[in-house]
């Protein structure tokens, strides 16, 4: 397996880190594009083992940091730019994914044995919203699978946080892992409301014309199983798989110090690998 690391220009000209795994000896490899979630990043916890597992199944696997997730190209696993984090929006993440799709479609730097015509999205948590919206609106995407995707951005915030947006223009998000207080400006929610016709997750799910797999953790402490059921209700053709006993991160944590995937994450690999075949 070969691993290639590089960067691409993201929203507002801000570069973001990318890595790509592929097998130099295998022809016409479909490519999976992985999208991380809120307060996540491409190398979080066991995500590299997840990438290796899909590469072992014969897929090329590309993952990237959203340009405004708070990391930088130089520090891809640390939240070193809280201003960028605070001003992130759906539109910026959609633009970043468009850049990745255009790289796959057009770049002469993409290894020639990767099949540009088989692009599959795999996304976790809030990244699922970006995957669903893109899959509904961009015909370059052939299949979409999500892990514990949100179904509505506004469900993520409490009444106090909405009051903060109104009174202070931002709310503060504690990160228990890093002990950082991470600001979140009202840009995100204002844009979501203003452009709801384009950014509404359930509306986009209802308009999907490509196969969709909805995976959700049965013991998800962050995004309730009801949100997965709402997505399937919007798109009855989608397949729903609930992994009983799984946490929001499917048994993982950061850092991950084991050489094997958590049991529930291996189940994800098995379900998604079968779906993509």
């Amino acid at each position: 397996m070969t691993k290639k690391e590089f960067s691409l220009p993201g929203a507002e000209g801000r570069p973001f880190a990318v890595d790509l795994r592929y097998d130099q000896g295998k022809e016409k490899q479909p490519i999976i594009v992985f999208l991380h979630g809120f307060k996540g990043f491409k190398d979080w916890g066991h995500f590299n083992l997840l990438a290796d597992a899909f590469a072992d199944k014969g897929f090329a696997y590309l993952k990237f940091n959203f340009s405004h997730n708070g990391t930088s190209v130089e520090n891809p696993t640390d939240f070193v730019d809280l201003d960028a984090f605070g001003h992130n929006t759906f539109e910026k993440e959609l633009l970043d994914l468009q850049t990745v799709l255009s790289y796959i479609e057009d770049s002469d730097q993409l290894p020639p044995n990767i099949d540009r015509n088989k692009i599959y999205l795999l996304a976790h948590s809030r990244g699922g919203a970006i995957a669903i919206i893109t899959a509904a609106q961009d015909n370059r995407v052939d299949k979409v699978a999500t892990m514990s995707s949100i179904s509505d951005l506004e469900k993520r915030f409490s009444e106090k946080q909405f009051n903060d947006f109104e009174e202070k223009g931002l709310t503060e998000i504690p990160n228990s892992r890093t002990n950082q207080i991470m600001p979140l400006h009202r840009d995100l929610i204002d844009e979501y409301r203003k452009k709801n016709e384009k950014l509404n997750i359930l509306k986009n799910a209802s308009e999907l014309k490509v196969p969709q797999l909805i995976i959700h953790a049965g013991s998800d402490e962050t995004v309730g199983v009801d949100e997965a059921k709402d997505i399937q209700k919007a798109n009855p053709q989608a397949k729903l798989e609930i992994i009983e006993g799984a946490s929001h991160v499917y048994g993982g944590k950061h850092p991950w110090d084991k050489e094997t995937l958590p049991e529930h994450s291996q189940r994800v690999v098995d379900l998604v690998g079968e779906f993509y075949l």
Side-chain angles (χ1 to χ4, degrees):
M1 180 179 64
T2 299
K3 182 179 177 182
K4 177 181 180 180
E5 296 183 278
F6 54 102
S7 64
L8 291 172
E12 298 183 345
R14 183 179 174 82
F16 58 89
V18 186
D19 66 69
L20 171 66
R21 287 163 172 75
Y22 64 100
D23 184 343
Q24 287 186 318
K26 180 178 172 60
E27 294 301 317
K28 295 187 176 180
Q29 295 164 79
I31 184 166
I32 298 171
V33 178
F34 178 76
L35 288 66
H36 67 76
F38 184 62
K39 291 191 293 184
F41 44 91
K42 69 181 182 67
D43 300 312
W44 186 92
H46 59 294
F47 284 173
N48 283 308
L49 287 178
L50 197 68
D52 291 341
F54 280 108
D56 288 343
K57 283 183 173 289
F59 298 97
Y61 194 96
L62 184 152
K63 53 188 176 68
F64 66 100
N65 283 338
F66 285 114
S67 63
H68 286 69
N69 76 336
T71 67
S72 68
V73 171
E74 297 75 22
N75 295 280
T77 62
D78 298 308
F79 296 120
V80 294
D81 192 339
L82 294 184
D83 183 64
F85 174 91
H87 288 286
N88 195 14
T89 66
F90 271 23
E91 285 278 26
K92 289 173 183 174
E93 294 190 347
L94 289 166
L95 283 170
D96 293 341
L97 180 52
Q98 288 295 311
T99 297
V100 169
L101 294 176
S102 294
Y103 169 82
I104 295 170
E105 183 181 40
D106 298 325
S107 176
D108 58 7
Q109 299 300 307
L110 188 76
N113 56 335
I114 292 176
D115 191 340
R116 300 174 191 261
N117 296 312
K118 290 185 179 178
I119 302 175
Y120 306 147
L121 301 185
L122 174 62
H124 179 241
S125 196
R126 200 177 90 179
I130 304 305
I132 290 169
I133 294 167
T134 299
Q137 299 178 12
D138 193 317
N139 60 14
R140 292 177 292 187
V141 176
D142 295 284
K143 294 184 180 182
V144 58
T146 56
M147 307 155 54
S148 291
S149 176
I150 66 172
S151 65
D152 186 334
L153 179 63
E154 298 204 41
K155 286 185 177 181
R156 310 269 57 81
F157 301 109
S158 66
E159 183 177 350
K160 179 186 181 305
Q161 289 172 320
F162 279 119
N163 288 336
D164 287 344
F165 286 138
E166 291 297 326
E167 295 170 8
K168 299 187 294 184
L170 62 89
T171 190
E172 294 180 328
I173 310 291
N175 188 322
S176 58
R177 181 180 64 83
T178 65
N179 293 319
Q180 291 171 290
I181 302 298
M182 307 179 77
L184 190 63
H185 294 264
R186 64 180 296 166
D187 311 28
L188 176 69
I189 199 69
D190 285 351
E191 175 195 84
Y192 187 73
R193 288 170 170 170
K194 181 179 180 181
K195 299 185 177 181
N196 195 257
E197 187 71 14
K198 176 184 178 182
L199 303 179
N200 185 287
I201 302 161
L202 295 179
K203 179 178 183 296
N204 279 279
S206 73
E207 295 173 354
L208 279 170
K209 294 180 175 61
V210 298
Q212 179 184 22
L213 173 63
I214 305 162
I215 296 175
H216 214 93
S219 298
D220 200 311
E221 70 284 9
T222 304
V223 181
V225 174
D226 60 306
E227 300 206 38
K229 294 177 179 177
D230 287 343
I231 295 171
Q232 191 193 36
K233 184 177 180 181
N235 179 19
Q237 302 304 313
K239 184 177 182 181
L240 173 61
E241 294 279 359
I242 297 173
I243 302 179
E244 296 300 339
S247 67
H248 183 64
V249 290
Y250 296 84
K253 64 177 182 177
H254 186 82
W256 184 251
D257 56 4
K258 299 179 182 178
E259 295 182 0
T260 57
L261 279 173
E263 176 186 355
H264 293 138
S265 288
Q266 182 59 54
R267 179 63 177 150
V268 169
V269 173
D270 294 340
L271 288 169
V272 174
E274 181 180 347
F275 171 66
Y276 286 154
L277 288 177

